[in-house]
Amino acid sequence: MTHTLGIDIGTFESKGVLVDGTGRIVATATRPHKMLVPRPGWAEHRAEEDWWGDFVHITRALLAESGIDPKDIACVAASAIGPCMLPVDATGAPLMNGVLYGVDTRAAAEIDHLNASIGAERIMATCGNALTSQSVGPKILWLKNTHPDLYARTAKVLTSTSYITWKLTGTHVIDHYTAANFSPLYDVNALDWTDALAPDILPLEKLPRLMWSTDVAGHVTAEAAAETGLATGTPVTCGTIDAAAEAVSVGVQRPGEMMMMYGSTIFIIQVTSDPVRDQRLWYAPWLWPGMHASMAGLATSGTLTHWFRDQFARDARFGDLAAEAAASPKGAKGLLCLPYFSGERTPIHDPQAKGAFFGLDLTHTRGDMFRAVLEGIASGTAHVLETYRDLDAMPRRILAVGGGTKNAVWMQATSDIAGVGQILCEKTVGASYGDAFLAATAVGKALPDQIVEWNPVARTVRPEAVPAYARQYPLFKRLYAQTRDIAHDLGTDRGK
């Protein structure tokens, strides 16, 4: 039993790896799926088809490609997008599509209600986080308010990883890192569920049992083995959110180290020795006891590049668009893009923010517009790092990972506008590789520090001084501030 298996369920694609005891990748597999947007501000997945279906497909593909005997797999770990809200009935069947993380902004009214009834300061003191679109508690309250029939049938509320772990083992568990996003139902000081702030959202027994990410949650059942091809009795970890596994994959493990994930969204995690709690950011216990994490995330990043290609460049590949953007001068000939196409998360936490291109004239090309998209995302990222700088909590190392790291324009613009270097490691597989490593640590096949041996540093992107960015970044922030009221007045009910 020398191999470990890691699978990550992403926003648009799921990935899996099978690795040996040295971290060498033996097999890889992927499977795409769609993010459902049934209404503006909503974002969903189908739990059975997209989460479990992908897991089954990828596991079987990994076993087939590698030829490994399933009994040779020492442990399995999964991660998935999150935090999500999935109500299931007493049989474990999903009662609706899974409501996704902070890109889903449907619970704005519930956030306002809870802040007014509990008090924002009390929520912050207990939960370590302000209520935002990332918070699961308001989404459960939304379910109760808008679908009382489904709420009445709800036996458990799970997140994406919890659902996969249940399908594998029959146990309902969640890691502390993910649970911290269930505000106002999680007390970061007690490391436990609480109904002290909002007793009417959900009975606590309907939430999963709390564990640390590398705790073994259970073992593959005979039913799950028949579906996946895994061996009955294989240990399965509790699992975690994809971004945390992605951070592990590139060696983020000590205080002052930060991961910058270029995926469907930009997501940032910095490990800290003490809690960093600020309403502009997110806080959670890290994956192991005694460590802390400070997080930030944009609402649309890779999602925005997908949108741009689908609407304006269906004839082009992303490589073609990247080449067109590279041919455009830095600053995109004075064109600004506000990347708030699904509201915005950190640091402004404005679900009603709107996307915009500003400064267009008849000389601008598609390449200029795509560069502006990338520079707009980079400016949003710089705004987050500026927040860390304001809190005297800037990282000493930033490790970049994710599919977006293949886009040199995007990477360089982020370093240039934010004024930071970014380290890239040899293996850029991402969260599934981190899952495989977490599985190895869970059963004593690896020590946490050994990730630097599994995935050594390859190169560094260094910042350059760009006059166009020095001029345009302050204008980017002013553009949002001066159009915020207009965006809010536009609202989301466009059909009325």
Side-chain angles (χ1 to χ4, degrees), residues 38-39 41-44 85-87 95-100 104-111 113-114 135-151 200-202:
R39 290 177 54 180
W42 290 25
E44 300 177 352
M85 191 275 291
L86 177 71
L95 292 169
M96 61 180 291
N97 286 339
V99 177
L100 301 194
D104 186 288
T105 61
R106 72 182 67 193
E110 285 73 19
I111 290 172
H113 166 75
L114 291 169
S135 308
V136 176
K139 293 174 182 178
I140 301 174
L141 185 57
W142 171 89
L143 174 69
K144 182 178 182 180
N145 290 341
T146 61
H147 294 79
D149 55 331
L150 298 183
Y151 179 86
D200 296 329
I201 293 180
L202 188 76

Side-chain angles (χ1 to χ4, degrees), residues 389-466:
R389 190 175 287 111
D390 291 345
L391 296 170
D392 196 25
M394 276 294 286
R396 57 183 179 81
R397 296 177 78 222
I398 297 177
L399 296 109
V401 68
T405 60
K406 299 174 183 177
N407 188 315
V409 173
W410 190 358
M411 287 283 293
Q412 192 64 55
T414 301
S415 280
D416 293 347
I417 296 172
V420 296
Q422 300 177 79
I423 299 167
L424 291 103
C425 294
E426 285 184 1
K427 298 181 180 72
T428 60
V429 175
S432 59
Y433 190 73
D435 291 325
F437 180 77
L438 290 170
T441 64
V443 292
K445 300 292 184 181
L447 298 173
D449 287 349
Q450 286 183 276
I451 188 60
V452 296
E453 300 171 16
W454 280 36
N455 198 8
V457 169
R459 64 185 179 92
T460 299
V461 176
R462 303 188 187 281
E464 301 173 357
V466 179

